[in-house]
Amino acid sequence: MGSGKSTLGPIVANVIGYDFVDLDAAIARAAGRSVQRIFAEEGEAAFRAREAEALRATGGRERLVVAVGGGALTFEENLQWALAHGTVVYLRVPPERLTGRLFYGRSIRPLLRDSEGRRLSPESLDAKVRELLARREPFYRRAHLTIEMGDRRVGHAVDEVVRALRRYARTAGRGTGKAKG
């Protein structure tokens, strides 16, 4: 969440000549309402079921970059499926940078709201980001590739992701296939 998947994904896809799918956007489009509304009206479990279904629906497509939501690959079945069907890339961002991006971002993510649905304070947001990362990091670390984002600008980050995918494809002895992350 906030790592830059939805920003970098379409650019990486364009550079390598692939199509791009943002899983959250695909879920919202199919449901006819925002991810926030799905969470509010159906709950997180229903959203996660939609997310797993949407992830598997990408399996029949080749030459595809998929941006998955921050929680999607924290479910063992989803992670195993993604690892088997594509090249999983973890865009690793330090927690303090994530907090800043998420606090000043345009939308308030469902998991980053208080009990009344308002944006968390900077301190509460930082604590929540660190708690989520602590739970999610063991899953994320199993990605095929980890890109340390640090303070990289978009262009440099895209270059690094493309280089890493090409190196991985050469060493793995296969094409880049689907890139999920």
Side-chain angles (χ1 to χ4, degrees):
M1 187 178 336
S3 67
K5 300 176 301 290
S6 297
T7 299
L8 297 180
I11 301 168
V12 168
N14 186 56
V15 168
I16 64 176
Y18 282 24
D19 292 327
F20 173 75
V21 171
D22 182 302
L23 215 58
D24 283 351
I27 293 164
R29 200 170 31 258
R33 55 200 160 152
S34 70
V35 168
Q36 290 82 0
R37 279 196 50 210
I38 296 169
F39 261 79
E41 295 170 1
E42 299 179 29
E44 183 177 0
F47 172 77
R48 296 300 178 195
R50 288 175 184 267
E51 188 175 54
E53 182 181 325
L55 177 63
R56 280 162 184 72
T58 67
R61 296 181 61 186
E62 291 295 321
R63 303 176 60 83
L64 184 64
V65 173
V66 180
V68 297
L73 300 185
T74 64
F75 293 86
E76 189 63 31
E77 291 171 357
N78 290 346
L79 178 59
Q80 288 297 325
W81 188 92
L83 290 168
H85 290 87
T87 303
V88 178
V89 179
Y90 170 28
L91 303 176
R92 189 169 187 277
V93 179
E96 59 278 1
R97 292 221 13 111
L98 285 174
T99 298
R101 288 179 183 182
L102 294 167
F103 185 76
Y104 293 106
R106 287 175 280 167
S107 66
I108 306 173
R109 320 254 176 153
L111 294 179
L112 302 179
R113 295 173 184 261
D114 67 14
S115 59
E116 281 85 47
R118 295 182 308 241
R119 182 184 302 266
L120 294 174
S121 70
E123 298 78 21
S124 296
L125 178 62
D126 185 63
K128 182 67 171 191
V129 165
R130 290 175 189 280
E131 179 237 320
L132 284 171
L133 271 178
R135 279 192 323 209
R136 292 174 172 187
E137 190 89 31
F139 293 96
Y140 294 170
R141 289 280 183 185
R142 292 167 53 198
H144 296 104
L145 300 168
T146 297
I147 307 296
E148 296 291 339
M149 298 299 290
D151 291 329
R152 292 179 198 261
R153 299 236 184 260
V154 171
H156 292 131
V158 167
D159 291 345
E160 179 58 29
V161 170
V162 170
R163 277 194 302 272
L165 284 169
R166 288 182 174 147
R167 273 193 311 269
Y168 181 78
R170 281 193 305 273
T171 60
R174 62 183 202 205
T176 53
K178 289 181 209 66
K180 297 178 182 359

